[in-house]
Amino acid sequence: MVPRHVAVIMDGNGRWARARGKAVMAGHRAGADAVRRCVRAAIMAEVPFLTLYAFSSENWNRAPEEVTDLTSLLRFYLRHKVAELHDQNVRLEFIGDLSRFDTGLRGEIERARKLTADNTRLTLILALSYGARHDMLLAAKRVAAAALRGEIDPAALNENDFAEHLQTASFPDPDLIVRTSGERRLSNFLLWESAYAELAFLDVMWPDFDETHFAALMTDFAGRERRFGKRLAEASAL
Ligand code: IPE
Ligand code: IPE
Ligand code: MG
C-alpha cells in the first residue's frame, strides 16, 4: 500500500556541509535541491500528502546569522520555485507559527498558497517555525476559550473535536515519518498526529537524499504490518 501521508524531518544539512569543509549555508542550499527530488519522488509514487519539516520552533535559537540565512533561502525558494511546483499540480500548505516571520516572507507564503490552492496532484505541507507542543497548546487554548463562552461542553469533547483545532486538521495523520541524518528522535514534530505512524530512520544526510531513497521507503512501508492495536485478522480487513 502507498502511504497517504509521508512526513519528513529533513536533518543533516550542517553535518553534510562540515564533512565537505563548506559553510552550513551550503548544506541548506544543497538541502533545497533534495526537497525538489523528494517532491518529484512523492508525485511518482502517487503519495497524496507530503509534509516537510523545514524549520522548527526551536531553530529560532540558532545563531542569528543562520536564522537569517535560512529565512532568506525560504524567501528565495518561495519567490522563484513555486511556479515549478504549480506546473507540477502541487498544492502548497503551511503549518507552524508563521507570525514569527517578517511580512515579506509571510507575503510569499500567502502568494504561494493562493496560487496553488486548486492543485490536486500532491499537497505539500511545509512545516515552518513549527513545534507540535505549540500547536497543541494553541488548540487547548481555543478549546478552553470556547468552553468559557459556553459553546462546547468540555466533558463531551472527544479526540476528533480536539484535533479539529490543530493546524493539521484538514490533513490525514501521517502514515510514515522519515528522519534523515541518523538521529532517532521526533524533535517536536507532529506529536499528536504521529500516534500510529510508522517510523523510518535513514543514515543518509538530507542533502544526499534522492528518488532511490524515497522509492526504498515506499517498498519498506508496503511490507509493514499496521495493526492500530487490533489483532492481525481484523487489521488486515481494513
Ligand atoms: C536540518 O539540518 C535543517 C534544519 C534544521 C533547518 P541541520 O542544520 O539540523 O543539520 P545538522 O543536524 O546540524 O547536521
Ligand atoms: C529538526 O532538526 C528540525 C528540522 C529538521 C527542521 P534539528 O536538527 O533542529 O533537531 P535536533 O536539535 O537535532 O533535535
Ligand atoms: Mg539537525
Side-chain angles (χ1 to χ4, degrees), residues 10-16 18 24 28 54-56 59 62 66 70 181 183 205:
M10 309 185 289
D11 196 18
N13 294 352
R15 276 163 282 173
W16 182 93
R18 213 174 308 126
V24 172
H28 292 317
F55 192 94
S56 76
N59 289 150
R62 292 194 179 185
E66 185 175 357
L70 274 168
S181 89
E183 307 295 349
M205 296 297 148

Side-chain angles (χ1 to χ4, degrees), residues 63-117:
E65 302 77 49
E66 185 175 357
V67 170
T68 304
D69 280 352
L70 274 168
T71 50
S72 306
L73 191 63
L74 273 169
R75 191 179 301 108
F76 176 86
Y77 269 85
L78 287 171
R79 195 172 296 161
H80 299 286
K81 305 290 172 184
V82 166
E84 183 182 321
L85 292 170
H86 187 46
D87 288 344
Q88 290 170 291
N89 198 7
V90 173
R91 174 170 73 120
L92 263 169
E93 287 282 354
F94 299 84
I95 55 172
D97 183 4
L98 305 179
S99 71
R100 294 183 73 175
F101 292 117
D102 61 39
T103 47
L105 185 49
R106 291 209 308 268
E108 295 296 341
I109 287 171
E110 254 337 285
R111 198 182 62 84
R113 204 202 302 266
K114 283 210 187 90
L115 176 72
T116 63

Side-chain angles (χ1 to χ4, degrees), residues 31-42:
D33 290 333
V35 167
R36 295 168 81 189
R37 293 192 291 272
C38 183
V39 168
R40 263 203 306 270

